[in-house]
C-alpha cells in the first residue's frame, strides 16, 4: 500500500484529504507544518508528499526547499496543494524549488486522484528522480521567497479594506528588509513599521543567543527611553526556564496570543498599562532567531488576522536575518581566505622567517580580533623553546633563558599536542613569570595551539585577550588553520637553511676535490700550484672582458684546474721525453683530452666545466685535436683558454726547450691569429696586455 504524507495547518482540510485518499486505497500520515512533516518523513519516508503553503513555523515553500536538498527525501515527489497562493508566479516559484506538481484548490476528487496516481506511477518507473529546481543560490532563493510572500500580502490587502493600512506597512517593512544589511537596523525598521505605520501600540524584539541559550531585549518601540533602558538590563530570559510569555514562545516555537493579561499567570508584569499581548517566534528552518512581542493597552487587541500577518512578517524577518548572517559569514570567510592567501604568498616569497612571522601575526590579530599574540619555536633536540615573534604586548618579552627555567602553558601545549584555553587565571603552577606577564598586561584569556607539520611539533602559537572571550568552533578552527600556516613557514625556513648549508658544504667538498686532482696533475707534471692559480686568474680575467657572466666563471675556474687531467693517462716515457716526439708518441700525447673527457663526463656536477679539458687543443683553422673542430664550433671558453695555455707554455721551460722571452711569445700569438687562435680572443688578450692587466 502506497503511503502519502499530507501537510496542512487546517484540521478540516487534513480530514477531507485523508478521507479521499484512504477511500482510494492509500495509507495516509498527517503533519500540520513543515517542521513536523520533515520529522515524520525522515523517520519513515512516504511515497509522495502533498503540502499546503501557508503554515506556521515552516511554510510549504521552505518545506519544499528542505525536502529537495535532503539526500533521503529528494527523490520523493513533492506536490503543492493550495487555495491561497494561486498566482502563476507562485506556481513558477514552487516548481523552481523542485515541486513536481502545483495544484490549485478546489480540484475535482477524481481528477485529483488521477494526478496523484500518475505521479506515483511515473516515480516508480523513474519519471521523477532527484527533481532539482532552478534555484540553487541562497540569495536567489531568498529573493524569490520574499517576492512570493510580498505577493501574498498584496492579495490580503485587496481582500479587506479594514486592515489595509496595517498590511501596507507590513508589506513595506518586508520589502525594505532586502535592502537593509545591519542586523540592528533590520530589527529597528520592523518594530518601527509595526508601531508607527501599522498602528500597533508597542513592539519589542528579544534576540536569541544560541551559545548561551538566552533571550535578551535588543530593541523596543512605543516605550519611554528610560523604560527601554531598564528593560534591557532586566529582561534576560534563559531558555528552558519558561520565564514569562516570551520564554514560553521561544521554548515551544509557537504563537501565543493573550487577550487579557490579568488572566495570564505566565505574564511577567513590567508595565501595568499593558492589557493584551501577542508573542511570535522568529524562526528560519527550525533555527530560533528571536521573539517579537506586541503589546496593547486594550484587551482583545490581537485577532487571528494579526497572528497571520505578523507571522508572515516574522518569516520575512527570519529570512532577512539569515540573509545577513550568511552575508557576514561569507564576508568573514572571504577575509579569512584573503589572509591565508597573503600568508601563503609571504611564505613562498621570502625565506626570512622573522619577516614571514611578523606578517602572519598581523593577519592573525586582525582576523581573529586578538589583543596580543606570539610564536615560540621549539627545539626538539634540547627540549627548549624560544620567542620568535610577538605582537600587541605592552611589556617586555620574557627572556629565552627565563623561559627555559619555568613551566609555562606552552609546554603543556607541546606535550598534549592540542589547543588549550585558560580563562580568568590567577596563578599557574610553576609559571610565575607567565602569571606576572598576564597580570601586567591585563590578560583574561589565553589560547595556545601547537605548530605541527609532518607530525613534528615546530613550536607554539599563543593568543591573549584582555576581556573575557568564549570563542565558537569556527574561531578555534581558523586559529588552528593559521597555526598550520605558521608551522609550514617555520618548516620551510628550516628546510631552506638546511639546504643552503648542505649546498655550501657540498660545493666546498667538490671544489676541494677538484683542487686535489689539480695538485695531483701538477705534481705529475712538476708544475707549481701557484702557476695553476695564475692560469685560472688570467682565464677568468680574459673571459670577463669578453662578456661572460659571473655564473659561468665558476665552471671556467674548474675547467682550468682540470685542463691537463688527461695527462695522467700519458706514459712517462712520452710525457717527460727530452727530445722531439715521434709521430707515434704524438698520437699518444694527443689522447690526453679524450682521457680527461672519459674521466670527467660521468660526473654531472662537472659537465659544464668539460669544454676546457676536452677542447683547449682545438685550433681556429680546424687543424687541432682531438676532434678537429673549426671556428665557432669550438666552445668559446676553450678558445679563450687556448691562448692562456699557449702563453703560459711558451714562457715556461720544457724538457725539449727553454722558456721563450715574452716578446717572442707575444709575436707568436699575433702570428697565430686566425690559425691557432680566434682573432676576437687574440684582440681581447692584446687589449688586456696593453692595459697592463695581464702579468
Amino acid at each position: 500500500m502506497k503511503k502519502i504524507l499530507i501537510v496542512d495547518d487546517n484540521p478540516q482540510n487534513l480530514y477531507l484529504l485523508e478521507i479521499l485518499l484512504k477511500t482510494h486505497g492509500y495509507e495516509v500520515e498527517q503533519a500540520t507544518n513543515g517542521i513536523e512533516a520533515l520529522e515524520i518523513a525522515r523517520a519513515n519516508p512516504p511515497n509522495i508528499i502533498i503540502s499546503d503553503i501557508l503554515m506556521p513555523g515552516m511554510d510549504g515553500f521552505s518545506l519544499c526547499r528542505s525536502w529537495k536538498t535532503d539526500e533521503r527525501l529528494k527523490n520523493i515527489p513533492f506536490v503543492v496543494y493550495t487555495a491561497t497562493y494561486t498566482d502563476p508566479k507562485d506556481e513558477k516559484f514552487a516548481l523552481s524549488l523542485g515541486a513536481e506538481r502545483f495544484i490549485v484548490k478546489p480540484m475535482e476528487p477524481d481528477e485529483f486522484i488521477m494526478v496523484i496516481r500518475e505521479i506515483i506511477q511515473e516515480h516508480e518507473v523513474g519519471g521523477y528522480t532527484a527533481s532539482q529546481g532552478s534555484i540553487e543560490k541562497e540569495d536567489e532563493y531568498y529573493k524569490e521567497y520574499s517576492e512570493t510572500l510580498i505577493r501574498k500580502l498584496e492579495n490580503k490587502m485587496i481582500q479587506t479594506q479594514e486592515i489595509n493600512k496595517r498590511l501596507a506597512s507590513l508589506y513595506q517593512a518586508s520589502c525594505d528588509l532586502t535592502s537593509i544589511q545591519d542586523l540592528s537596523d533590520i530589527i529597528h525598521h520592523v518594530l518601527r513599521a509595526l508601531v508607527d505605520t501599522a498602528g500597533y501600540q508597542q513592539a519589542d524584539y528579544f534576540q536569541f543567543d544560541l551559545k548561551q541559550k538566552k533571550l535578551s531585549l535588543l530593541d523596543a518601540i512605543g516605550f519611554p527611553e528610560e523604560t527601554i533602558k531598564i528593560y534591557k538590563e532586566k529582561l534576560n530570559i534563559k531558555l528552558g526556564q519558561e520565564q514569562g510569555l516570551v520564554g514560553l514562545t521561544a521554548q515551544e516555537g509557537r504563537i501565543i496570543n493573550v487577550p487579557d493579561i490579568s488572566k495570564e499567570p505566565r505574564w511577567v508584569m513590567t508595565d501595568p498599562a499593558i492589557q493584551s499581548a501577542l508573542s511570535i517566534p522568529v524562526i528560519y528552518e527550525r533555527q530560533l532567531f528571536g521573539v517579537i512581542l506586541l503589546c496593547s493597552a486594550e484587551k482583545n487587541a490581537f485577532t487571528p488576522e494579526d497572528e497571520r500577518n505578523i507571522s508572515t512578517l516574522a518569516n520575512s524577518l527570519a529570512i532577512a536575518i539569515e540573509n545577513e548572517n550568511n552575508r557576514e559569514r561569507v564576508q568573514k570567510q572571504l577575509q579569512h581566505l584573503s589572509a591565508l592567501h597573503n600568508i601563503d604568498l609571504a611564505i613562498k616569497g621570502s625565506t626570512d622567517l622573522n619577516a614571514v612571522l611578523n606578517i602572519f601575526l598581523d593577519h592573525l590579530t586582525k582576523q581573529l580580533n586578538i589583543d596580543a599574540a606570539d610564536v615560540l619555536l621549539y627545539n626538539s633536540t634540547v627540549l627548549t623553546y624560544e620567542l620568535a615573534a610577538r605582537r600587541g604586548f605592552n611589556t617586555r618579552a620574557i627572556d629565552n633563558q627565563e623561559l627555559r627555567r619555568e613551566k609555562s602553558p606552552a609546554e603543556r601545549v607541546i606535550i598534549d599536542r592540542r589547543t588549550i584555553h585558560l580563562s580568568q587565571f590567577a596563578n599557574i603552577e610553576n609559571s610565575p613569570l607567565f602569571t606576572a606577564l598576564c597580570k601586567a598586561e591585563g590578560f583574561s584569556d589565553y589560547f595556545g595551539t601547537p605548530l605541527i607539520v609532518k607530525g613534528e611539533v615546530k613550536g607554539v602559537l599563543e593568543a591573549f585577550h584582555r576581556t573575557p572571550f568564549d570563542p565558537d568552533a569556527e574561531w578555534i578552527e581558523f586559529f588552528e588553520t593559521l597555526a598550520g600556516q605558521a608551522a609550514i613557514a617555520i618548516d620551510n625556513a628550516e628546510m631552506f637553511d638546511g639546504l643552503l648549508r648542505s649546498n655550501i658544504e657540498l660545493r666546498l667538498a667538490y671544489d676541494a676535490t677538484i683542487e686535489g686532482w689539480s695538485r695531483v696533475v701538477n705534481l705529475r707534471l712538476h708544475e707549481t700550484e701557484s702557476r695553476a692559480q695564475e692560469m685560472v686568474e688570467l682565464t677568468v680575467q680574459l673571459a670577463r672582458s669578453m662578456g661572460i657572466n659571473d655564473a659561468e666563471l665558476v665552471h671556467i675556474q674548474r675547467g682550468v684546474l682540470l685542463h691537463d687531467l688527461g695527462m695522467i693517462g700519458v706514459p712517462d716515457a712520452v710525457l717527460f721525453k727530452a727530445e722531439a716526439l715521434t709521430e707515434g708518441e704524438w698520437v699518444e700525447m694527443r689522447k690526453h683530452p679524450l682521457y680527461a673527457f672519459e674521466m670527467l663526463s660521468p660526473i654531472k656536477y662537472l659537465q659544464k666545466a668539460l669544454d676546457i679539458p676536452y677542447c683547449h687543443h682545438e685550433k681556429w683553422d680546424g687543424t687541432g685535436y682531438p676532434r678537429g673542430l673549426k671556428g665557432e664550433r669550438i666552445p668559446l671558453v676553450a678558445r679563450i683558454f687556448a691562448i692562456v695555455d699557449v702563453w703560459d707554455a711558451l714562457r715556461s721551460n720544457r724538457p725539449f726547450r727553454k722558456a721563450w722571452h715574452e716578446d717572442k711569445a707575444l709575436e707568436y700569438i699575433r702570428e697565430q691569429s686566425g690559425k691557432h687562435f680566434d682573432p676576437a680572443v687574440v684582440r681581447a688578450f692584446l687589449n688586456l696586455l696593453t692595459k697592463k692587466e695581464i702579468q
Side-chain angles (χ1 to χ4, degrees):
M1 182 180 294
K2 304 300 180 185
K3 181 168 59 181
I4 299 177
L5 174 61
I6 56 176
V7 190
D8 200 311
D9 63 331
N10 188 314
Q12 184 178 2
N13 291 344
L14 284 175
Y15 173 76
L16 294 175
L17 193 54
E18 180 181 18
I19 294 298
L20 175 63
L21 293 170
K22 283 186 174 180
T23 302
H24 287 81
Y26 293 106
E27 180 183 350
V28 178
E29 283 194 276
Q30 296 183 5
T32 58
N33 57 59
I35 296 173
E36 185 181 341
L38 284 174
E39 291 178 350
I40 293 172
R42 285 166 179 160
N44 191 6
N47 296 101
I48 187 173
I49 178 173
I50 303 171
S51 175
D52 190 16
I53 293 179
L54 187 60
M55 297 178 290
M58 178 187 285
D59 64 14
F61 290 134
S62 296
L63 172 59
C64 184
R65 186 166 184 272
S66 296
W67 190 277
K68 289 301 178 179
T69 55
D70 189 305
E71 287 299 320
R72 293 188 59 201
L73 304 178
K74 66 181 183 180
N75 290 327
I76 299 173
F78 192 105
V79 176
V80 176
Y81 190 43
T82 178
T84 308
Y85 288 79
T86 58
D87 193 293
K89 292 182 180 179
D90 298 334
E91 179 177 0
K92 180 180 178 182
F93 179 54
L95 296 177
S96 72
L97 294 176
E100 275 68 30
R101 286 286 194 281
F102 186 91
I103 302 174
V104 177
K105 303 174 186 176
M107 176 181 276
E108 289 296 326
D110 290 342
E111 183 182 357
F112 178 79
I113 291 298
M114 184 176 66
V115 171
I116 298 302
R117 185 178 292 124
E118 178 188 53
I119 294 172
I120 293 175
Q121 289 174 349
E122 289 184 8
H123 177 254
E124 288 177 342
V125 298
Y128 292 107
T129 57
S131 176
Q132 292 293 328
S134 60
I135 294 182
E136 296 179 358
K137 295 182 179 179
E138 291 287 314
D139 290 343
E140 185 180 357
Y141 165 72
Y142 296 143
K143 179 182 177 182
E144 292 287 335
Y145 186 86
S146 296
E147 289 176 355
T148 303
L149 293 178
I150 292 167
R151 288 196 302 272
K152 185 57 190 172
L153 288 175
E154 289 175 332
N155 293 334
K156 287 291 183 181
M157 290 167 59
I158 295 172
Q159 291 174 8
T160 170
Q161 187 66 32
E162 183 181 346
I163 60 172
N164 183 65
K165 180 182 176 180
R166 286 187 174 181
L167 287 176
S169 65
L170 297 180
Y171 164 73
Q172 187 60 48
S174 180
C175 288
D176 292 344
L177 294 181
T178 60
S179 61
I180 303 173
Q181 292 188 339
D182 183 76
L183 182 59
S184 297
D185 290 343
I186 291 173
I187 303 301
H188 188 78
H189 179 78
V190 169
L191 298 185
R192 180 63 65 188
L194 288 170
V195 173
D196 292 354
T197 311
Y200 297 102
Q201 294 177 357
Q202 297 171 332
D204 305 314
Y205 182 79
F206 291 82
Q207 187 176 34
F208 179 61
D209 187 324
L210 180 62
K211 185 184 296 182
Q212 299 183 14
K213 301 292 183 184
K214 185 178 70 174
L215 286 158
S216 56
L217 183 65
L218 179 66
D219 200 357
I221 301 294
F223 297 90
E225 286 296 325
E226 190 61 32
T227 302
I228 294 175
K229 183 178 179 181
I230 295 172
Y231 284 177
K232 285 185 175 181
E233 292 175 355
K234 293 185 177 181
L235 294 180
N236 290 290
I237 303 163
K238 193 75 174 177
L239 202 64
Q241 296 176 350
E242 295 187 9
Q243 181 180 356
L245 196 63
V246 172
L248 185 61
T249 300
Q251 184 71 27
E252 297 185 358
R254 64 181 179 88
I255 298 172
I256 298 179
N257 189 344
V258 181
D260 187 350
I261 290 300
S262 63
K263 298 179 181 178
E264 176 52 67
R266 295 168 297 186
W267 177 255
V268 177
M269 182 60 68
T270 54
D271 184 349
I274 295 174
Q275 296 296 313
S276 60
L278 177 63
S279 183
I280 298 177
V282 178
I283 297 173
Y284 177 79
E285 293 188 353
R286 306 187 68 179
Q287 172 62 54
L288 176 68
F289 289 136
V291 174
I292 295 175
L293 178 65
L294 299 180
C295 302
S296 175
E298 301 175 1
K299 293 182 179 180
N300 300 305
F302 303 103
T303 66
E305 186 67 24
D306 290 318
E307 293 181 21
R308 288 190 289 272
N309 292 338
I310 305 304
S311 178
T312 301
L313 181 61
N315 286 339
S316 296
L317 176 59
I319 292 170
I321 294 172
E322 177 66 13
N323 231 350
E324 173 61 13
N325 291 342
N326 286 336
R327 189 190 66 82
E328 290 180 355
R329 280 194 290 268
V330 169
Q331 188 175 29
K332 184 182 293 185
Q333 288 169 357
L334 289 174
Q335 291 172 352
H336 288 177
L337 286 174
S338 177
L340 288 172
H341 176 66
N342 290 334
I343 293 170
D344 189 50
L345 289 178
I347 293 172
K348 291 178 180 177
S350 174
T351 56
D352 183 347
L353 180 60
N354 185 261
V356 172
L357 289 180
N358 280 324
I359 293 172
F360 166 78
L361 288 179
D362 284 340
H363 286 289
L364 174 79
T365 53
K366 181 180 178 180
Q367 294 297 323
L368 292 179
N369 296 317
I370 294 170
D371 293 321
D374 63 36
V375 175
L376 303 177
L377 299 183
Y378 176 60
N379 188 324
S380 59
T381 304
V382 295
L383 303 179
T384 60
Y385 46 89
E386 61 183 36
L387 181 66
R390 69 198 309 249
R391 182 75 78 258
F393 293 87
N394 299 320
T395 58
R396 76 170 184 87
I398 300 175
D399 184 78
N400 287 327
Q401 294 294 331
E402 295 174 323
L403 266 177
R404 298 184 185 113
R405 288 197 293 268
E406 76 167 27
K407 293 192 175 206
S408 75
E411 185 172 327
R412 178 179 156 194
V413 171
I414 293 171
I415 293 172
D416 294 350
R417 297 169 72 95
R418 65 177 179 84
T419 301
I420 67 169
H421 174 202
L422 302 177
S423 181
Q424 300 293 341
F425 38 82
N427 291 296
I428 300 176
E429 187 178 356
N430 298 323
S431 300
L433 292 174
F434 180 83
T435 302
L437 171 69
C438 293
K439 184 176 180 181
E441 292 280 355
F443 292 143
S444 172
D445 284 79
Y446 165 90
F447 297 85
T449 192
L451 306 179
I452 300 176
V453 63
K454 300 172 186 174
E456 182 180 353
V457 177
K458 296 293 183 180
V460 176
L461 173 61
E462 298 183 307
F464 301 83
H465 284 267
R466 291 188 171 92
T467 54
F469 181 63
D470 183 20
D472 55 21
E474 183 181 352
W475 189 95
I476 294 293
E477 181 180 357
F478 191 58
F479 180 59
E480 293 175 345
T481 299
L482 288 175
Q485 292 288 95
I488 292 171
I490 295 168
D491 186 57
N492 283 355
E494 290 178 352
M495 284 195 299
F496 180 80
D497 289 343
L499 183 61
L500 190 61
R501 285 194 299 271
S502 297
N503 284 341
I504 292 173
E505 291 170 359
L506 187 60
R507 178 172 173 176
L508 291 174
Y510 278 140
D511 288 346
T513 301
I514 292 169
E515 290 171 5
W517 289 346
S518 178
R519 282 193 291 271
V520 169
V521 174
N522 291 335
L523 287 172
R524 175 161 169 71
L525 300 179
H526 307 300
E527 301 286 0
T528 63
E529 189 172 342
S530 61
R531 175 177 168 272
Q533 192 58 43
E534 288 171 3
M535 293 180 72
V536 169
E537 292 174 2
L538 179 54
T539 307
V540 167
Q541 197 175 6
L542 183 54
R544 185 177 281 122
S545 74
M546 295 193 70
I548 293 180
N549 61 56
D550 290 346
E552 296 298 321
L553 294 180
V554 65
H555 303 298
I556 292 175
Q557 292 173 355
R558 293 168 184 160
V560 174
L561 289 173
L562 298 172
H563 78 279
D564 272 340
L565 183 64
M567 289 295 189
I568 294 175
V570 178
D572 289 353
V574 175
L575 193 60
F576 301 113
K577 186 177 180 180
E579 299 84 14
L581 299 179
T582 66
E583 187 62 32
E585 289 169 336
W586 268 116
V587 170
E588 193 64 36
M589 177 65 78
R590 288 168 179 160
K591 289 181 180 178
H592 79 271
L594 292 172
Y595 295 153
F597 179 79
E598 291 170 357
M599 285 187 283
L600 298 176
S601 60
I603 304 173
K604 186 176 182 180
Y605 178 73
L606 295 175
Q607 285 179 357
K608 290 185 178 181
L610 268 176
D611 287 342
I612 290 177
Y614 192 30
C615 302
H616 70 285
H617 283 297
E618 301 287 357
K619 295 182 179 181
W620 183 256
D621 61 7
T623 60
Y625 63 89
R627 293 183 290 167
L629 300 178
K630 183 177 181 180
E632 292 187 355
R633 293 188 62 191
I634 305 169
L636 176 60
V637 293
R639 285 180 266 150
I640 291 171
F641 179 71
I643 290 183
V644 175
D645 187 37
V646 171
W647 172 254
D648 176 78
L650 293 176
R651 296 165 61 238
S652 303
N653 290 317
R654 288 290 184 264
F656 51 86
R657 64 161 173 79
K658 293 291 185 179
W660 287 13
H661 188 272
E662 183 175 305
D663 292 338
K664 183 179 178 181
L666 190 58
E667 182 60 32
Y668 177 80
I669 287 176
R670 287 194 184 98
E671 189 270 329
Q672 288 294 314
S673 177
K675 300 175 184 178
H676 189 159
F677 307 121
D678 178 352
V681 180
V682 172
R683 287 193 296 271
F685 179 80
L686 295 176
N687 186 46
L688 286 177
L689 196 65
T690 302
K691 293 179 179 178
K692 305 296 185 183
E693 295 182 15
I694 295 179
Q695 301 297 325

